[in-house]
Amino acid sequence: MSDLNDLYQETIIDHSRRPRNKGVIEQATHSADGHNPLCGDRVRVQLKIENGCIMGIGFQGTGCAISTASASLMTETIKGKTPKEVETAFGKFHDLLTEDQPPAPDLGKLAVFSGVREYPMRVKCATLAWHTLRAALRGDGKAVSTE
Amino acid sequence: MDNVHPHDVGTVLDQEGVAVRTGHHCAQPVMDRFEIAATTRASLAFYNTRREVDTLIAGIRKVQEFFS
């Protein structure tokens, strides 16, 4: 078993204690709810898209340190990006969590989640906010579930 | 334990060699009724020893230190 500090890196603990962009977005253009029935975690992601770019993003909900930190870091990462860029970032992030290979060099702060790979049960904690974001971008109004 | 999610408690205790159950325990309706997202459950039985209980308590202290 790897060390706890590999999983709960300092940035993760920081973002779980003081999540960024947590709150309601006024005049959101897109929104979706996500649920992880195994944990009981729920998250709502709201977006404000202008001229094809995500200009505002906020999340609400409760979750473990990993899922809260992931939602928080996700909001920081994707602000100003286009939906297509979000898909690319999600692909790299997902590979980081599941593939046994060096992280993509342009992952930035998201690389702190590299320790999650050793804990397969926690991958869904780290991806819940991202799946919910993608559902919001699809805009079909369906809630996502990790099960 | 305030401000620590059961799944985080479970991961730390697991590292200490203590198995607990975390989450919904397949009891969503009652969890909804009491507005609890998830809990941690230590399921003690007659074969558990005093030493194992001490290990659990030491593990809980570690959780508090780690996330405080």
Side-chain angles (χ1 to χ4, degrees), chain A:
Chain A
M1 267 292 171
S2 60
D3 191 69
L4 271 183
N5 293 312
D6 292 340
L7 176 65
Y8 295 108
Q9 295 193 29
E10 215 166 289
T11 308
I12 295 182
I13 296 285
D14 173 42
H15 277 257
S16 72
R17 283 190 189 135
R18 297 184 302 115
R20 323 298 199 263
N21 302 306
K22 189 168 181 185
V24 179
I25 291 279
E26 300 295 334
Q27 296 163 336
T29 55
H30 295 63
S31 176
D33 293 326
H35 183 210
N36 182 342
L38 207 66
C39 312
D41 289 359
R42 287 178 188 280
V43 67
R44 169 170 292 168
V45 174
Q46 291 181 301
L47 303 171
K48 199 174 187 176
I49 298 185
E50 288 166 4
N51 303 322
C53 286
I54 297 167
M55 299 314 287
I57 176 162
F59 79 98
Q60 303 154 61
T62 54
C64 64
I66 304 290
S67 76
T68 304
S70 174
S72 174
L73 281 157
M74 176 188 83
T75 60
E76 283 196 335
T77 305
I78 64 135
K79 213 174 254 185
K81 290 202 159 62
T82 65
K84 203 177 165 189
E85 286 167 334
V86 167
E87 277 305 304
T88 310
F90 173 72
K92 288 175 186 169
F93 182 59
H94 197 269
D95 284 350
L96 173 78
L97 303 176
T98 55
E99 304 290 330
D100 191 13
Q101 61 194 28
D106 53 351
L107 266 172
K109 278 188 189 173
L110 295 180
V112 297
F113 291 96
S114 60
V116 175
R117 190 169 45 209
E118 302 295 326
Y119 299 80
M121 286 286 292
R122 309 302 295 276
V123 170
K124 284 175 180 173
C125 306
T127 52
L128 177 64
W130 283 89
H131 285 302
T132 311
L133 165 65
R134 294 167 78 221
L137 290 172
R138 281 196 302 272
D140 53 14
K142 284 185 194 151
V144 291
S145 168
T146 55
E147 287 305 300

Side-chain angles (χ1 to χ4, degrees), chain B residues 3-58:
Chain B
N3 303 321
V4 188
H5 190 282
H7 268 187
D8 297 317
V9 176
T11 296
V12 176
L13 289 179
D14 182 37
Q15 297 274 313
E16 300 297 304
V18 180
V20 293
R21 178 103 190 260
T22 60
H24 259 148
H25 317 286
C26 301
Q28 280 93 332
V30 78
M31 304 290 267
D32 286 345
R33 163 68 181 78
F34 293 106
E35 295 181 8
I36 300 167
T39 66
T40 310
R41 186 185 73 205
S43 309
L44 293 160
F46 62 86
Y47 48 72
N48 285 111
T49 62
R50 179 180 279 266
R51 195 169 149 198
E52 286 167 340
V53 175
D54 288 343
T55 308
L56 168 66
I57 291 167

